[in-house]
Amino acid sequence: MTSRTVTLLDVARAAGVSKSTASDALQGSGRVARATRDRVRAVAEELGYRPNSAARRLRRSSTGAIGLHLPQTATRLDYYMNLAFGAVARAQEEGLDVVLLAPASTAGAVAGPGGTSGPVASRVDGLLVIDPEVDDSAVPGLLDAGVPVVTGERYLGPTATPTGAVICDNAASLTALLDHVTERGARRPAVLAPAGTSAWATALRATAASWGQERRVDVALRTVPFAATPGEAEQTTLALLRADPAVDAVICAPDGAAPGVLRAAATLGRTVGSASGRTVGTPSGRTVGETSTPRTGTPRRTVGETGAHPRTRTPLLVASCVDGTATRSAEPPVTAVDLRPAAYGRACAELLCDILAGRTPPDTVRRHAWALETRASTVGPA
């Protein structure tokens, strides 16, 4: 059927179903068995069927698009870019476009009287609001825009609740990191926790405090910007380790900031990794911390600053609350929590699509899994 445009009727006939069933299967609406839906979609793919999006939107009184609102710092962080790609990929499978909402355009211009007539509500069928912060002035209007809203993480503010949410157990992920570094010998861990009023930032600060209280371990808690740069993480870590040399593990929360912790450790001559590493002195009085090259395991010398006798310095374990290119490519590679951002964005878009299509009721909350990736920064060379 390559000589003409493939129609919905062609798909229905090839799949052995009625035209209405084929339509419901492709749109994800109606009561269609999973096996039938999968068969219809497979046939449509094989025939090269492309739906008439304009006609479908007219029939459904739909805009054919969903909006995506990210934190203002999103453009600097790999995490949110990967999340956005995942959301776009899932929305396209549903025949929906994704409109990225710039912070300046959403603040104060989202909802009209009664929350139903604002410009955003007229342009999209639903909204994805990722990591909503209480002090983000755009969020209340988005939640009251008159269309279904799915948040990535819970919204802790007092305004209207979202239609659905996809959440991670952020307390559990930081607990896993703290447990891991203490199992590797850390006795005085520190957490560079993010500032801000998002559920993620709030959970990490609270967990760092509660974990220490429950285990009677003194956790050094420092607050850094939500999207702290490696330079900001480096300066905070330098101040921390100079003031409290007993700190033997640093967990850095912000995406991409962990290399700054590694630079601080090198400056102070602290070996990064397991306690099997050692620190030696040079004739000039400078200290040299040893790390390992990933290919040969041969010690690589890193010159640090002068100070107390180098043999008294404790190895430093380094970990991150967010995995990404910066942690994987660091030297040494950094142990981190893989939040699977592309899959997370996909899960948020899927919940919104399910709500819009009537496959899932409002007020649905789904959970997203994370994984702890242990690397040389806490376990030493292989």
Side-chain angles (χ1 to χ4, degrees), residues 264-290:
T267 297
L268 298 177
R270 297 286 293 268
T271 300
V272 173
S274 68
S276 61
R278 67 184 187 278
T279 306
V280 298
T282 65
S284 64
R286 293 177 298 173
T287 63
V288 181
E290 289 185 354

Side-chain angles (χ1 to χ4, degrees), residues 78-331:
D78 286 345
Y79 173 84
Y80 289 112
M81 294 301 97
N82 288 322
L83 186 152
F85 290 144
V88 168
R90 179 61 185 90
Q92 287 180 337
E93 292 175 5
E94 206 80 9
L96 296 171
D97 296 324
V98 176
V99 177
L100 183 61
L101 306 177
S105 67
T106 55
V110 177
T116 60
S117 60
V120 170
S122 66
R123 289 189 289 135
V124 298
D125 297 333
L127 292 166
L128 298 175
V129 181
I130 307 301
D131 279 331
E133 294 201 281
V134 175
D135 55 6
D136 184 341
S137 61
V139 172
L142 291 169
L143 292 175
D144 198 30
V147 295
V149 180
V150 166
T151 58
E153 297 299 349
R154 296 186 187 276
Y155 177 60
L156 304 181
T159 190
T161 57
T163 315
V166 180
I167 63 175
C168 289
D169 193 340
N170 299 304
S173 65
L174 180 55
T175 295
L177 282 174
L178 285 164
D179 287 346
H180 171 69
V181 297
T182 53
E183 288 167 2
R184 298 300 301 174
R187 295 295 176 264
R188 172 72 166 139
V191 176
L192 307 188
T197 54
S198 69
W200 178 68
T202 302
L204 294 186
R205 294 195 301 268
T207 301
S210 62
W211 184 94
Q213 292 172 354
E214 291 170 2
R215 291 160 178 77
R216 297 184 179 179
V217 174
D218 190 10
V219 178
L221 179 62
R222 298 292 185 274
T223 301
V224 295
F226 182 89
T229 64
E232 289 169 327
E234 180 181 6
Q235 292 305 310
T236 300
T237 304
L238 284 171
L240 169 68
L241 296 179
R242 284 169 175 155
D244 190 353
V247 168
D248 51 9
V250 176
I251 297 173
C252 182
D255 178 20
V261 179
L262 298 179
R263 291 204 298 263
T267 297
L268 298 177
R270 297 286 293 268
T271 300
V272 173
S274 68
S276 61
R278 67 184 187 278
T279 306
V280 298
T282 65
S284 64
R286 293 177 298 173
T287 63
V288 181
E290 289 185 354
T291 58
S292 297
T293 60
R295 183 171 59 182
T296 65
T298 303
R300 178 178 63 81
R301 293 188 171 186
T302 305
V303 178
E305 62 182 19
T306 58
H309 192 283
R311 295 184 187 278
T312 67
R313 297 189 177 178
T314 306
L316 185 71
L317 306 183
V318 177
S320 173
C321 294
V322 183
D323 199 12
T325 302
T327 50
R328 290 189 292 267
S329 62
E331 177 54 42

Side-chain angles (χ1 to χ4, degrees), residues 11-12 14-44:
V11 174
V17 297
S18 67
K19 185 177 178 180
S20 60
T21 297
S23 177
D24 288 342
L26 293 174
Q27 295 182 41
S29 59
R31 295 176 176 268
V32 180
R34 178 179 293 274
T36 302
R37 184 176 69 244
D38 292 344
R39 184 171 77 255
V40 171
R41 290 181 175 180
V43 169

Side-chain angles (χ1 to χ4, degrees), residues 367-382:
R367 295 189 176 273
H368 179 68
W370 50 269
L372 177 60
E373 300 291 341
T374 57
R375 301 189 179 105
S377 68
T378 60
V379 300

